[in-house]
Amino acid sequence: MHDFSITQDQSTDILYGDLISAARALTDGEPDAIANMANISALIWQYIPDLNWAGFYRVMEDELVLGPFQGKSACIRIAMGKGVCGAAASTNVVQRVADVHAFPGHIACDADSRSELVVPVCKDGKVIAVLDLDSPLPDRFSAADETGMTKLIATIANSLG
């Protein structure tokens, strides 16, 4: 069992530095991508405030399929290019959405979600999954959150697929 000393009451840079160190510790030497996704989802859920969903969708052929997550039940399959997750997966571009209801084609798996951050997970130059974070707060995710989560995923991407 891992016990991390990550405090939410610190600067965003320190918080994400600590999260990245914890993510490395959790995934180091573990070859099972699903187990690693499960632990990373739990880590993020535990230490990032104001989330109502944190997890992964895996690229399976031409669609995204629900992977390990924390939060309410979710959509199981998402077509590539559809919704915020599908847009991130098909373009390999982080999607930071302040108001999901204003996003064209938004898929409302949870009506309580108001903002979303989706980070593509790439391995060998190919998108293999996306990390999806939802919040019930509008405009919850900052540029610092986007940078921090992007660095976290880049650091452990090889352990996720």
Side-chain angles (χ1 to χ4, degrees):
M1 179 165 160
H2 296 278
D3 184 23
F4 301 110
S5 59
I6 299 172
T7 312
Q8 294 171 339
D9 300 336
Q10 55 190 348
S11 78
T12 305
D13 287 343
I14 294 171
L15 171 65
Y16 280 107
D18 288 350
L19 277 176
I20 290 167
S21 293
R24 278 190 194 122
L26 287 170
T27 59
D28 186 44
E30 177 51 59
D32 190 285
I34 299 298
N36 288 332
M37 287 179 186
N39 262 339
I40 297 307
S41 297
L43 179 73
I44 291 168
W45 183 259
Q46 183 176 0
Y47 291 108
I48 299 297
D50 302 319
L51 298 180
N52 62 337
W53 205 88
F56 291 90
Y57 279 93
R58 301 170 302 129
V59 175
M60 307 292 288
E61 296 180 19
D62 61 346
E63 65 185 348
L64 295 170
V65 178
L66 182 64
F69 70 93
Q70 301 285 314
K72 293 180 182 179
S73 300
C75 300
I76 295 173
R77 295 180 184 273
I78 298 174
M80 293 297 272
K82 301 296 181 187
V84 182
C85 289
S90 66
T91 63
N92 191 15
V93 174
V94 174
Q95 301 292 309
R96 181 167 45 107
V97 181
D99 178 3
V100 294
H101 300 296
F103 189 88
H106 173 251
I107 301 167
C109 296
D110 180 355
D112 292 335
S113 292
R114 298 291 309 279
S115 59
E116 192 166 359
L117 177 64
V118 182
V119 179
V121 178
C122 294
K123 186 173 181 182
D124 299 326
K126 183 178 175 185
V127 177
I128 59 167
V130 296
L131 169 67
D132 182 20
L133 305 178
D134 293 2
S135 174
L137 303 178
D139 204 17
R140 157 61 186 90
F141 302 103
S142 66
D145 291 313
E146 179 178 340
T147 299
M149 284 298 169
T150 300
K151 286 180 183 175
L152 186 150
I153 290 301
T155 300
I156 61 166
N158 287 336
S159 299
L160 302 177

